[in-house]
Amino acid sequence: SVVHNWESEASHFTPDLRVFVAHGPSRPTGDQLLAVAAQADIVVTTYGTATRDVDTLARVDWELVVCDEAQAIKNHHTNAARAVRTLPARQKVALTGTPVENRLAELWAILDAVTPGMLGGITWFRERFATPIEQRNDEDALRGMRQLTGPFVLRRTKADKSLVPD
């Protein structure tokens, strides 16, 4: 449903751009996928398809990769997270309403997929931020993590008065 939503929104807000949906069993693959993608302004796909076609998609120099529902890459060991990290792009953006569900390492995985190395390696991140915050409620570690991530995270809460009540 997200694929078709992006396709619909693109046709509504950017009607002059050519949108290609790379999804489903009849989608082009290999060199044919490269040729079709080269003719499109926007390519919409899923994490599953990106994982299956990562070797081909990694041959494209993407201008922008947008990862919607980025909680799908919150575990850096998954094939989807590896695929996103493999795609070369001038810029990557992650969109999610739930960047952290269980552990701060989930936030690390999402940010590492779109801004590699910004939060160091996973071991350093756990030692410096995750463990002190999660186990000891360390305010200094929390402030340090917020200072690092603040410029890269746009977060709106239900308490934000500019949001529509529903």
Side-chain angles (χ1 to χ4, degrees):
S1 66
V2 174
V3 168
H4 297 297
N5 186 59
W6 275 99
E7 181 181 28
S8 173
E9 294 295 313
S11 68
H12 177 72
F13 289 103
T14 59
D16 296 333
L17 297 182
R18 297 163 299 188
V19 178
F20 165 60
V21 175
H23 181 61
S26 61
R27 75 185 181 284
T29 57
D31 289 340
Q32 187 181 14
L33 172 58
L34 290 175
V36 175
Q39 298 301 310
D41 298 303
I42 298 173
V43 176
V44 179
T45 193
T46 64
Y47 290 108
T49 301
T51 297
R52 284 186 290 282
D53 294 345
V54 68
D55 291 338
T56 302
L57 295 172
R59 292 168 49 197
V60 176
D61 289 322
W62 300 100
E63 185 69 23
L64 171 66
V65 170
V66 176
C67 301
D68 194 9
E69 302 295 339
Q71 65 272 16
I73 57 173
K74 68 181 184 178
N75 179 340
H76 69 282
H77 294 296
T78 65
N79 289 334
R82 286 185 187 115
V84 169
R85 287 193 311 267
T86 301
L87 297 177
R90 195 171 74 75
Q91 185 175 15
K92 293 181 184 178
V93 175
L95 307 172
T96 180
T98 53
V100 178
E101 290 181 280
N102 300 306
R103 294 175 311 281
L104 286 174
E106 296 167 349
L107 177 63
W108 176 88
I110 292 169
L111 287 173
D112 193 65
V114 297
T115 56
M118 183 190 94
L119 293 176
I122 186 62
T123 302
W124 180 84
F125 178 80
R126 281 187 180 130
E127 290 172 1
R128 175 66 181 94
F129 299 115
T131 300
I133 294 167
E134 293 170 347
Q135 294 181 6
R136 299 188 300 274
N137 293 320
D138 185 320
E139 289 294 324
D140 290 334
L142 182 58
R143 268 191 299 281
M145 188 183 78
R146 283 185 175 152
Q147 185 175 8
L148 277 176
T149 61
F152 299 93
V153 176
L154 172 61
R155 183 168 183 253
R156 297 178 73 176
T157 67
K158 291 178 183 175
D160 186 341
K161 301 298 183 212
S162 67
L163 292 176
V164 178
D166 62 347

